[in-house]
PDB file of all heavy atoms in Angstrom:
ATOM      1  N   VAL A 199       1.591  14.647 -26.281  1.00 97.00           N
ATOM      2  CA  VAL A 199       0.181  14.424 -26.608  1.00 97.00           C
ATOM      3  C   VAL A 199      -0.553  14.108 -25.309  1.00 97.00           C
ATOM      4  O   VAL A 199       0.044  13.620 -24.343  1.00 97.00           O
ATOM      5  CB  VAL A 199      -0.027  13.264 -27.610  1.00 97.00           C
ATOM      6  CG1 VAL A 199       0.543  13.604 -28.964  1.00 97.00           C
ATOM      7  CG2 VAL A 199       0.573  11.972 -27.084  1.00 97.00           C
ATOM      8  N   PHE A 200      -1.864  14.382 -25.320  1.00 97.00           N
ATOM      9  CA  PHE A 200      -2.688  14.092 -24.147  1.00 97.00           C
ATOM     10  C   PHE A 200      -3.907  13.288 -24.602  1.00 97.00           C
ATOM     11  O   PHE A 200      -4.626  13.698 -25.515  1.00 97.00           O
ATOM     12  CB  PHE A 200      -3.117  15.387 -23.455  1.00 97.00           C
ATOM     13  CG  PHE A 200      -1.957  16.122 -22.843  1.00 97.00           C
ATOM     14  CD1 PHE A 200      -1.283  17.106 -23.554  1.00 97.00           C
ATOM     15  CD2 PHE A 200      -1.522  15.803 -21.568  1.00 97.00           C
ATOM     16  CE1 PHE A 200      -0.191  17.770 -23.006  1.00 97.00           C
ATOM     17  CE2 PHE A 200      -0.430  16.457 -21.002  1.00 97.00           C
ATOM     18  CZ  PHE A 200       0.235  17.444 -21.728  1.00 97.00           C
ATOM     19  N   ALA A 201      -4.123  12.150 -23.946  1.00 97.00           N
ATOM     20  CA  ALA A 201      -5.213  11.244 -24.310  1.00 97.00           C
ATOM     21  C   ALA A 201      -6.328  11.339 -23.270  1.00 97.00           C
ATOM     22  O   ALA A 201      -6.059  11.522 -22.078  1.00 97.00           O
ATOM     23  CB  ALA A 201      -4.693   9.808 -24.376  1.00 97.00           C
ATOM     24  N   PRO A 202      -7.575  11.196 -23.692  1.00 95.00           N
ATOM     25  CA  PRO A 202      -8.685  11.237 -22.732  1.00 95.00           C
ATOM     26  C   PRO A 202      -8.548  10.144 -21.671  1.00 95.00           C
ATOM     27  O   PRO A 202      -8.009   9.067 -21.937  1.00 95.00           O
ATOM     28  CB  PRO A 202      -9.920  11.003 -23.606  1.00 95.00           C
ATOM     29  CG  PRO A 202      -9.491  11.363 -24.981  1.00 95.00           C
ATOM     30  CD  PRO A 202      -8.038  11.011 -25.082  1.00 95.00           C
ATOM     31  N   LEU A 203      -9.038  10.427 -20.461  1.00 90.00           N
ATOM     32  CA  LEU A 203      -9.063   9.419 -19.408  1.00 90.00           C
ATOM     33  C   LEU A 203      -9.897   8.229 -19.879  1.00 90.00           C
ATOM     34  O   LEU A 203     -10.904   8.400 -20.559  1.00 90.00           O
ATOM     35  CB  LEU A 203      -9.683  10.020 -18.138  1.00 90.00           C
ATOM     36  CG  LEU A 203      -9.606   9.191 -16.856  1.00 90.00           C
ATOM     37  CD1 LEU A 203      -8.164   8.993 -16.410  1.00 90.00           C
ATOM     38  CD2 LEU A 203     -10.407   9.880 -15.745  1.00 90.00           C
ATOM     39  N   ASP A 204      -9.454   7.016 -19.540  1.00 90.00           N
ATOM     40  CA  ASP A 204     -10.134   5.769 -19.927  1.00 90.00           C
ATOM     41  C   ASP A 204     -10.062   5.541 -21.432  1.00 90.00           C
ATOM     42  O   ASP A 204     -10.989   4.996 -22.030  1.00 90.00           O
ATOM     43  CB  ASP A 204     -11.584   5.784 -19.446  1.00 90.00           C
ATOM     44  CG  ASP A 204     -12.162   4.371 -19.334  1.00 90.00           C
ATOM     45  OD1 ASP A 204     -11.373   3.422 -19.213  1.00 90.00           O
ATOM     46  OD2 ASP A 204     -13.398   4.226 -19.379  1.00 90.00           O
ATOM     47  N   SER A 205      -8.952   5.937 -22.052  1.00 94.00           N
ATOM     48  CA  SER A 205      -8.761   5.695 -23.493  1.00 94.00           C
ATOM     49  C   SER A 205      -8.629   4.199 -23.760  1.00 94.00           C
ATOM     50  O   SER A 205      -7.980   3.480 -23.016  1.00 94.00           O
ATOM     51  CB  SER A 205      -7.498   6.400 -23.997  1.00 94.00           C
ATOM     52  OG  SER A 205      -7.692   7.782 -24.077  1.00 94.00           O
ATOM     53  N   LYS A 206      -9.228   3.765 -24.862  1.00 95.00           N
ATOM     54  CA  LYS A 206      -9.126   2.348 -25.245  1.00 95.00           C
ATOM     55  C   LYS A 206      -8.066   2.124 -26.321  1.00 95.00           C
ATOM     56  O   LYS A 206      -7.577   1.017 -26.488  1.00 95.00           O
ATOM     57  CB  LYS A 206     -10.486   1.845 -25.754  1.00 95.00           C
ATOM     58  CG  LYS A 206     -11.619   1.945 -24.723  1.00 95.00           C
ATOM     59  CD  LYS A 206     -11.375   1.053 -23.530  1.00 95.00           C
ATOM     60  CE  LYS A 206     -12.566   1.018 -22.571  1.00 95.00           C
ATOM     61  NZ  LYS A 206     -12.805   2.305 -21.897  1.00 95.00           N
ATOM     62  N   ASP A 207      -7.720   3.189 -27.075  1.00 97.00           N
ATOM     63  CA  ASP A 207      -6.809   3.037 -28.207  1.00 97.00           C
ATOM     64  C   ASP A 207      -5.738   4.129 -28.183  1.00 97.00           C
ATOM     65  O   ASP A 207      -6.025   5.297 -28.443  1.00 97.00           O
ATOM     66  CB  ASP A 207      -7.603   3.100 -29.515  1.00 97.00           C
ATOM     67  CG  ASP A 207      -6.711   2.949 -30.730  1.00 97.00           C
ATOM     68  OD1 ASP A 207      -5.527   2.566 -30.570  1.00 97.00           O
ATOM     69  OD2 ASP A 207      -7.194   3.235 -31.841  1.00 97.00           O
ATOM     70  N   TYR A 208      -4.500   3.732 -27.883  1.00 98.00           N
ATOM     71  CA  TYR A 208      -3.397   4.692 -27.874  1.00 98.00           C
ATOM     72  C   TYR A 208      -2.612   4.669 -29.184  1.00 98.00           C
ATOM     73  O   TYR A 208      -1.700   5.466 -29.362  1.00 98.00           O
ATOM     74  CB  TYR A 208      -2.450   4.387 -26.700  1.00 98.00           C
ATOM     75  CG  TYR A 208      -3.050   4.747 -25.353  1.00 98.00           C
ATOM     76  CD1 TYR A 208      -3.720   3.787 -24.598  1.00 98.00           C
ATOM     77  CD2 TYR A 208      -2.951   6.036 -24.841  1.00 98.00           C
ATOM     78  CE1 TYR A 208      -4.284   4.101 -23.374  1.00 98.00           C
ATOM     79  CE2 TYR A 208      -3.507   6.369 -23.619  1.00 98.00           C
ATOM     80  CZ  TYR A 208      -4.177   5.393 -22.888  1.00 98.00           C
ATOM     81  OH  TYR A 208      -4.736   5.724 -21.676  1.00 98.00           O
ATOM     82  N   THR A 209      -2.961   3.746 -30.083  1.00 97.00           N
ATOM     83  CA  THR A 209      -2.176   3.613 -31.313  1.00 97.00           C
ATOM     84  C   THR A 209      -2.283   4.856 -32.200  1.00 97.00           C
ATOM     85  O   THR A 209      -1.411   5.095 -33.028  1.00 97.00           O
ATOM     86  CB  THR A 209      -2.614   2.374 -32.106  1.00 97.00           C
ATOM     87  OG1 THR A 209      -3.980   2.546 -32.528  1.00 97.00           O
ATOM     88  CG2 THR A 209      -2.513   1.113 -31.268  1.00 97.00           C
ATOM     89  N   GLN A 210      -3.338   5.638 -32.030  1.00 97.00           N
ATOM     90  CA  GLN A 210      -3.499   6.857 -32.827  1.00 97.00           C
ATOM     91  C   GLN A 210      -2.370   7.866 -32.571  1.00 97.00           C
ATOM     92  O   GLN A 210      -2.185   8.789 -33.366  1.00 97.00           O
ATOM     93  CB  GLN A 210      -4.859   7.500 -32.518  1.00 97.00           C
ATOM     94  CG  GLN A 210      -5.028   7.918 -31.064  1.00 97.00           C
ATOM     95  CD  GLN A 210      -6.445   8.373 -30.770  1.00 97.00           C
ATOM     96  OE1 GLN A 210      -6.920   9.334 -31.345  1.00 97.00           O
ATOM     97  NE2 GLN A 210      -7.132   7.659 -29.878  1.00 97.00           N
ATOM     98  N   TYR A 211      -1.659   7.711 -31.425  1.00 98.00           N
ATOM     99  CA  TYR A 211      -0.549   8.627 -31.106  1.00 98.00           C
ATOM    100  C   TYR A 211       0.812   8.068 -31.515  1.00 98.00           C
ATOM    101  O   TYR A 211       1.831   8.746 -31.380  1.00 98.00           O
ATOM    102  CB  TYR A 211      -0.534   8.922 -29.596  1.00 98.00           C
ATOM    103  CG  TYR A 211      -1.883   9.363 -29.068  1.00 98.00           C
ATOM    104  CD1 TYR A 211      -2.631   8.536 -28.238  1.00 98.00           C
ATOM    105  CD2 TYR A 211      -2.404  10.602 -29.418  1.00 98.00           C
ATOM    106  CE1 TYR A 211      -3.868   8.933 -27.763  1.00 98.00           C
ATOM    107  CE2 TYR A 211      -3.646  11.016 -28.948  1.00 98.00           C
ATOM    108  CZ  TYR A 211      -4.369  10.167 -28.130  1.00 98.00           C
ATOM    109  OH  TYR A 211      -5.592  10.572 -27.675  1.00 98.00           O
ATOM    110  N   PHE A 212       0.847   6.830 -31.991  1.00 98.00           N
ATOM    111  CA  PHE A 212       2.125   6.172 -32.234  1.00 98.00           C
ATOM    112  C   PHE A 212       2.861   6.746 -33.442  1.00 98.00           C
ATOM    113  O   PHE A 212       4.097   6.669 -33.525  1.00 98.00           O
ATOM    114  CB  PHE A 212       1.919   4.661 -32.406  1.00 98.00           C
ATOM    115  CG  PHE A 212       1.553   3.953 -31.107  1.00 98.00           C
ATOM    116  CD1 PHE A 212       1.239   2.599 -31.112  1.00 98.00           C
ATOM    117  CD2 PHE A 212       1.534   4.645 -29.903  1.00 98.00           C
ATOM    118  CE1 PHE A 212       0.915   1.949 -29.926  1.00 98.00           C
ATOM    119  CE2 PHE A 212       1.194   3.996 -28.717  1.00 98.00           C
ATOM    120  CZ  PHE A 212       0.886   2.643 -28.728  1.00 98.00           C
ATOM    121  N   GLY A 213       2.140   7.320 -34.402  1.00 97.00           N
ATOM    122  CA  GLY A 213       2.796   7.947 -35.546  1.00 97.00           C
ATOM    123  C   GLY A 213       3.658   9.120 -35.105  1.00 97.00           C
ATOM    124  O   GLY A 213       4.809   9.262 -35.534  1.00 97.00           O
ATOM    125  N   GLN A 214       3.101   9.963 -34.225  1.00 97.00           N
ATOM    126  CA  GLN A 214       3.861  11.100 -33.702  1.00 97.00           C
ATOM    127  C   GLN A 214       5.059  10.626 -32.876  1.00 97.00           C
ATOM    128  O   GLN A 214       6.135  11.217 -32.915  1.00 97.00           O
ATOM    129  CB  GLN A 214       2.960  11.974 -32.816  1.00 97.00           C
ATOM    130  CG  GLN A 214       1.911  12.768 -33.582  1.00 97.00           C
ATOM    131  CD  GLN A 214       0.974  13.480 -32.649  1.00 97.00           C
ATOM    132  OE1 GLN A 214      -0.118  12.995 -32.367  1.00 97.00           O
ATOM    133  NE2 GLN A 214       1.379  14.617 -32.140  1.00 97.00           N
ATOM    134  N   LEU A 215       4.831   9.558 -32.125  1.00 97.00           N
ATOM    135  CA  LEU A 215       5.914   9.019 -31.296  1.00 97.00           C
ATOM    136  C   LEU A 215       7.059   8.526 -32.170  1.00 97.00           C
ATOM    137  O   LEU A 215       8.231   8.841 -31.921  1.00 97.00           O
ATOM    138  CB  LEU A 215       5.366   7.888 -30.421  1.00 97.00           C
ATOM    139  CG  LEU A 215       6.361   7.130 -29.541  1.00 97.00           C
ATOM    140  CD1 LEU A 215       7.030   8.077 -28.543  1.00 97.00           C
ATOM    141  CD2 LEU A 215       5.650   6.005 -28.778  1.00 97.00           C
ATOM    142  N   ARG A 216       6.746   7.763 -33.216  1.00 97.00           N
ATOM    143  CA  ARG A 216       7.795   7.248 -34.112  1.00 97.00           C
ATOM    144  C   ARG A 216       8.545   8.392 -34.807  1.00 97.00           C
ATOM    145  O   ARG A 216       9.772   8.386 -34.920  1.00 97.00           O
ATOM    146  CB  ARG A 216       7.174   6.348 -35.174  1.00 97.00           C
ATOM    147  CG  ARG A 216       6.876   4.934 -34.721  1.00 97.00           C
ATOM    148  CD  ARG A 216       6.722   4.028 -35.948  1.00 97.00           C
ATOM    149  NE  ARG A 216       6.399   2.657 -35.569  1.00 97.00           N
ATOM    150  CZ  ARG A 216       5.167   2.202 -35.459  1.00 97.00           C
ATOM    151  NH1 ARG A 216       4.147   3.004 -35.679  1.00 97.00           N
ATOM    152  NH2 ARG A 216       4.940   0.949 -35.101  1.00 97.00           N
ATOM    153  N   ALA A 217       7.782   9.380 -35.261  1.00 97.00           N
ATOM    154  CA  ALA A 217       8.386  10.489 -36.006  1.00 97.00           C
ATOM    155  C   ALA A 217       9.358  11.291 -35.147  1.00 97.00           C
ATOM    156  O   ALA A 217      10.349  11.834 -35.651  1.00 97.00           O
ATOM    157  CB  ALA A 217       7.287  11.402 -36.548  1.00 97.00           C
ATOM    158  N   ALA A 218       9.089  11.354 -33.861  1.00 97.00           N
ATOM    159  CA  ALA A 218       9.951  12.136 -32.966  1.00 97.00           C
ATOM    160  C   ALA A 218      11.281  11.444 -32.701  1.00 97.00           C
ATOM    161  O   ALA A 218      12.255  12.092 -32.312  1.00 97.00           O
ATOM    162  CB  ALA A 218       9.225  12.384 -31.644  1.00 97.00           C
ATOM    163  N   ARG A 219      11.323  10.111 -32.851  1.00 97.00           N
ATOM    164  CA  ARG A 219      12.528   9.318 -32.595  1.00 97.00           C
ATOM    165  C   ARG A 219      13.131   9.607 -31.211  1.00 97.00           C
ATOM    166  O   ARG A 219      14.333   9.904 -31.084  1.00 97.00           O
ATOM    167  CB  ARG A 219      13.585   9.569 -33.678  1.00 97.00           C
ATOM    168  CG  ARG A 219      13.150   9.134 -35.076  1.00 97.00           C
ATOM    169  CD  ARG A 219      14.261   9.413 -36.092  1.00 97.00           C
ATOM    170  NE  ARG A 219      13.877   8.968 -37.421  1.00 97.00           N
ATOM    171  CZ  ARG A 219      14.071   7.741 -37.871  1.00 97.00           C
ATOM    172  NH1 ARG A 219      14.631   6.836 -37.073  1.00 97.00           N
ATOM    173  NH2 ARG A 219      13.700   7.393 -39.093  1.00 97.00           N
ATOM    174  N   PRO A 220      12.346   9.522 -30.154  1.00 98.00           N
ATOM    175  CA  PRO A 220      12.884   9.810 -28.825  1.00 98.00           C
ATOM    176  C   PRO A 220      13.649   8.617 -28.248  1.00 98.00           C
ATOM    177  O   PRO A 220      13.431   7.471 -28.661  1.00 98.00           O
ATOM    178  CB  PRO A 220      11.609  10.059 -28.006  1.00 98.00           C
ATOM    179  CG  PRO A 220      10.610   9.149 -28.635  1.00 98.00           C
ATOM    180  CD  PRO A 220      10.928   9.139 -30.114  1.00 98.00           C
ATOM    181  N   GLN A 221      14.530   8.891 -27.300  1.00 97.00           N
ATOM    182  CA  GLN A 221      15.179   7.814 -26.540  1.00 97.00           C
ATOM    183  C   GLN A 221      14.347   7.451 -25.307  1.00 97.00           C
ATOM    184  O   GLN A 221      14.465   6.359 -24.758  1.00 97.00           O
ATOM    185  CB  GLN A 221      16.585   8.232 -26.069  1.00 97.00           C
ATOM    186  CG  GLN A 221      17.612   8.348 -27.170  1.00 97.00           C
ATOM    187  CD  GLN A 221      17.525   9.679 -27.897  1.00 97.00           C
ATOM    188  OE1 GLN A 221      17.483  10.728 -27.261  1.00 97.00           O
ATOM    189  NE2 GLN A 221      17.485   9.625 -29.214  1.00 97.00           N
ATOM    190  N   VAL A 222      13.522   8.410 -24.863  1.00 97.00           N
ATOM    191  CA  VAL A 222      12.734   8.229 -23.632  1.00 97.00           C
ATOM    192  C   VAL A 222      11.284   8.626 -23.882  1.00 97.00           C
ATOM    193  O   VAL A 222      11.015   9.645 -24.525  1.00 97.00           O
ATOM    194  CB  VAL A 222      13.320   9.086 -22.480  1.00 97.00           C
ATOM    195  CG1 VAL A 222      12.422   9.022 -21.242  1.00 97.00           C
ATOM    196  CG2 VAL A 222      14.733   8.623 -22.137  1.00 97.00           C
ATOM    197  N   LEU A 223      10.353   7.809 -23.378  1.00 98.00           N
ATOM    198  CA  LEU A 223       8.927   8.175 -23.345  1.00 98.00           C
ATOM    199  C   LEU A 223       8.547   8.397 -21.890  1.00 98.00           C
ATOM    200  O   LEU A 223       8.736   7.520 -21.048  1.00 98.00           O
ATOM    201  CB  LEU A 223       8.066   7.052 -23.931  1.00 98.00           C
ATOM    202  CG  LEU A 223       6.544   7.200 -23.720  1.00 98.00           C
ATOM    203  CD1 LEU A 223       6.001   8.419 -24.467  1.00 98.00           C
ATOM    204  CD2 LEU A 223       5.795   5.936 -24.147  1.00 98.00           C
ATOM    205  N   TYR A 224       8.016   9.588 -21.602  1.00 97.00           N
ATOM    206  CA  TYR A 224       7.482   9.865 -20.258  1.00 97.00           C
ATOM    207  C   TYR A 224       5.967   9.797 -20.337  1.00 97.00           C
ATOM    208  O   TYR A 224       5.341  10.403 -21.213  1.00 97.00           O
ATOM    209  CB  TYR A 224       7.891  11.255 -19.768  1.00 97.00           C
ATOM    210  CG  TYR A 224       7.222  11.621 -18.452  1.00 97.00           C
ATOM    211  CD1 TYR A 224       7.833  11.334 -17.241  1.00 97.00           C
ATOM    212  CD2 TYR A 224       5.958  12.237 -18.431  1.00 97.00           C
ATOM    213  CE1 TYR A 224       7.213  11.647 -16.043  1.00 97.00           C
ATOM    214  CE2 TYR A 224       5.332  12.540 -17.229  1.00 97.00           C
ATOM    215  CZ  TYR A 224       5.961  12.248 -16.044  1.00 97.00           C
ATOM    216  OH  TYR A 224       5.344  12.545 -14.848  1.00 97.00           O
ATOM    217  N   THR A 225       5.353   9.049 -19.401  1.00 97.00           N
ATOM    218  CA  THR A 225       3.895   8.992 -19.370  1.00 97.00           C
ATOM    219  C   THR A 225       3.384   9.060 -17.935  1.00 97.00           C
ATOM    220  O   THR A 225       4.080   8.654 -17.004  1.00 97.00           O
ATOM    221  CB  THR A 225       3.367   7.719 -20.054  1.00 97.00           C
ATOM    222  OG1 THR A 225       1.938   7.754 -20.073  1.00 97.00           O
ATOM    223  CG2 THR A 225       3.829   6.463 -19.317  1.00 97.00           C
ATOM    224  N   SER A 226       2.177   9.576 -17.783  1.00 95.00           N
ATOM    225  CA  SER A 226       1.561   9.648 -16.456  1.00 95.00           C
ATOM    226  C   SER A 226       0.152   9.067 -16.475  1.00 95.00           C
ATOM    227  O   SER A 226      -0.659   9.396 -15.611  1.00 95.00           O
ATOM    228  CB  SER A 226       1.543  11.102 -15.958  1.00 95.00           C
ATOM    229  OG  SER A 226       0.960  11.963 -16.923  1.00 95.00           O
ATOM    230  N   VAL A 227      -0.137   8.203 -17.482  1.00 95.00           N
ATOM    231  CA  VAL A 227      -1.417   7.488 -17.416  1.00 95.00           C
ATOM    232  C   VAL A 227      -1.383   6.562 -16.210  1.00 95.00           C
ATOM    233  O   VAL A 227      -0.311   6.208 -15.715  1.00 95.00           O
ATOM    234  CB  VAL A 227      -1.694   6.680 -18.709  1.00 95.00           C
ATOM    235  CG1 VAL A 227      -1.769   7.601 -19.901  1.00 95.00           C
ATOM    236  CG2 VAL A 227      -0.636   5.606 -18.917  1.00 95.00           C
ATOM    237  N   ALA A 228      -2.546   6.137 -15.738  1.00 90.00           N
ATOM    238  CA  ALA A 228      -2.586   5.339 -14.507  1.00 90.00           C
ATOM    239  C   ALA A 228      -3.704   4.300 -14.597  1.00 90.00           C
ATOM    240  O   ALA A 228      -4.514   4.304 -15.530  1.00 90.00           O
ATOM    241  CB  ALA A 228      -2.796   6.252 -13.299  1.00 90.00           C
ATOM    242  N   GLY A 229      -3.710   3.393 -13.611  1.00 87.00           N
ATOM    243  CA  GLY A 229      -4.771   2.401 -13.508  1.00 87.00           C
ATOM    244  C   GLY A 229      -4.843   1.493 -14.717  1.00 87.00           C
ATOM    245  O   GLY A 229      -3.839   1.052 -15.265  1.00 87.00           O
ATOM    246  N   ASN A 230      -6.067   1.209 -15.171  1.00 90.00           N
ATOM    247  CA  ASN A 230      -6.258   0.330 -16.322  1.00 90.00           C
ATOM    248  C   ASN A 230      -5.743   0.959 -17.615  1.00 90.00           C
ATOM    249  O   ASN A 230      -5.407   0.252 -18.570  1.00 90.00           O
ATOM    250  CB  ASN A 230      -7.743  -0.014 -16.477  1.00 90.00           C
ATOM    251  CG  ASN A 230      -8.261  -0.821 -15.295  1.00 90.00           C
ATOM    252  OD1 ASN A 230      -7.504  -1.546 -14.649  1.00 90.00           O
ATOM    253  ND2 ASN A 230      -9.542  -0.685 -14.998  1.00 90.00           N
ATOM    254  N   ASP A 231      -5.667   2.302 -17.667  1.00 94.00           N
ATOM    255  CA  ASP A 231      -5.132   2.976 -18.857  1.00 94.00           C
ATOM    256  C   ASP A 231      -3.686   2.563 -19.099  1.00 94.00           C
ATOM    257  O   ASP A 231      -3.245   2.425 -20.247  1.00 94.00           O
ATOM    258  CB  ASP A 231      -5.216   4.492 -18.694  1.00 94.00           C
ATOM    259  CG  ASP A 231      -6.644   5.006 -18.782  1.00 94.00           C
ATOM    260  OD1 ASP A 231      -7.559   4.186 -18.990  1.00 94.00           O
ATOM    261  OD2 ASP A 231      -6.843   6.221 -18.625  1.00 94.00           O
ATOM    262  N   THR A 232      -2.918   2.371 -18.019  1.00 96.00           N
ATOM    263  CA  THR A 232      -1.519   1.961 -18.158  1.00 96.00           C
ATOM    264  C   THR A 232      -1.420   0.600 -18.826  1.00 96.00           C
ATOM    265  O   THR A 232      -0.558   0.375 -19.679  1.00 96.00           O
ATOM    266  CB  THR A 232      -0.849   1.888 -16.776  1.00 96.00           C
ATOM    267  OG1 THR A 232      -0.967   3.148 -16.134  1.00 96.00           O
ATOM    268  CG2 THR A 232       0.621   1.532 -16.904  1.00 96.00           C
TER     269      THR A 232
END
Side-chain angles (χ1 to χ4, degrees):
V199 293
F200 293 93
L203 189 64
D204 202 22
S205 287
K206 300 296 187 293
D207 180 12
Y208 288 94
T209 64
Q210 61 188 299
Y211 309 110
F212 289 175
Q214 289 174 262
L215 176 61
R216 279 199 181 92
R219 297 180 178 273
Q221 290 82 49
V222 174
L223 169 65
Y224 174 91
T225 184
S226 52
V227 299
N230 295 332
D231 288 359
T232 303

